[in-house]
Amino acid sequence: PEMEPDLLAGIDPLWEADGLRRLEHNWRPERVQITLSTKPHVSPVFLAARVKGRLQHALRQHGTPADFSRKVSVRSIGDRRTGHIVEYVRGQVDKEPIVDERFREMLRQCSVSNPSLDFAEPSASLSGRYWYNLHLVLVTQDRDRIVDERRLALVRDQSLGIAAKKGHAIGELSIVPDHLHIALRGDIDQSPQDIALAYLNNLAYALGQ
């Protein structure tokens, strides 16, 4: 149906309580497109459910019910595109100011690059398709430097283990002495906050806090 002038404005406070803020919308007879910003605790699946559910409820209340397809499409957008992030993460070891090239080579051995992971492909579920890619950065407390090969390898192996356990796909992982970068595809049921804390807490535990 045609959109009532105050329809979305009436839903906005409810979306705000869900951790969503409507920025733009495009309303057409065949589809609705909405751009939102979200709080870190909001997962893609929760976002889709709240947007679609509250919109359907508001349309019924206005006497213009609409049946939406069970399929939704959720994309994360921004100024930084996937290719830029992948190259940025991949180049961290080479740009690190290191005097001993043998140490740099050791860091390269602790890096992970998985070019077979296509970030342009969505994660598909019964409810739709989700483009959910994250760039995660973790920094050591007080910028303490990890220079021991065993501990650096532990960070790499533990990161891969966390990804396997949590259902993430790591495309790029770069470890330098005082921080690490991960470009990953997240599990659509998990929020950015959930994913970041999974690596933060588990890596801290593995390294003896």
Side-chain angles (χ1 to χ4, degrees):
E2 291 294 325
M3 185 182 68
E4 297 289 334
D6 60 343
L7 179 73
L8 294 182
I11 309 175
D12 283 339
L14 303 175
W15 280 334
E16 291 270 355
D18 295 328
L20 315 174
R21 175 170 291 174
R22 179 173 60 93
L23 304 177
E24 300 168 310
H25 69 271
N26 182 15
W27 187 283
R28 297 185 183 183
E30 73 278 7
R31 68 174 179 268
V32 177
Q33 296 170 302
I34 304 177
T35 307
L36 307 104
S37 63
T38 67
K39 296 287 183 69
H41 68 269
V42 174
S43 73
V45 168
F46 180 84
L47 179 150
R50 280 295 191 269
V51 170
K52 185 178 176 183
R54 293 199 185 283
L55 187 56
Q56 284 181 307
H57 180 70
L59 285 167
R60 284 197 301 269
Q61 284 190 318
H62 276 74
T64 55
D67 289 328
F68 286 104
S69 164
R70 292 184 60 215
K71 299 293 186 183
V72 298
S73 170
V74 177
R75 295 175 179 267
S76 55
I77 61 175
D79 293 333
R80 293 287 179 261
R81 300 183 69 85
T82 301
H84 299 153
I85 296 297
V86 168
E87 290 302 318
Y88 179 78
V89 174
R90 190 179 294 162
Q92 285 299 301
V93 171
D94 287 337
K95 67 182 284 189
E96 185 72 7
I98 295 172
V99 174
D100 190 343
E101 287 302 317
R102 293 172 300 177
F103 182 65
R104 190 186 306 278
E105 182 57 34
M106 184 180 71
L107 291 177
R108 290 195 185 104
Q109 296 302 316
C110 293
S111 298
V112 174
S113 184
N114 179 19
S116 65
L117 176 61
D118 185 359
F119 283 112
E121 287 296 312
S123 298
S125 74
L126 293 177
S127 63
R129 294 185 176 187
Y130 298 78
W131 284 261
Y132 185 37
N133 305 317
L134 296 175
H135 175 200
L136 175 65
V137 184
L138 297 180
V139 181
T140 59
Q141 185 172 352
D142 300 323
R143 287 282 188 173
D144 284 342
R145 295 172 67 81
I146 302 173
V147 296
D148 176 64
E149 182 176 5
R150 182 189 64 82
R151 284 161 60 82
L152 290 167
L154 178 65
V155 172
R156 175 198 61 205
D157 296 342
Q158 287 290 322
S159 296
L160 293 173
I162 295 164
K165 181 178 179 180
K166 296 293 185 179
H168 311 154
I170 290 180
E172 299 289 335
L173 166 65
S174 289
I175 305 168
V176 292
D178 61 357
H179 67 281
L180 63 84
H181 291 257
I182 307 177
L184 63 85
R185 174 183 294 161
D187 183 317
I188 60 176
D189 286 307
Q190 300 167 20
S191 70
Q193 179 173 284
D194 294 333
I195 293 173
L197 288 176
Y199 289 89
L200 179 69
N201 293 335
N202 283 284
L203 287 174
Y205 179 80
L207 292 169
Q209 305 300 336

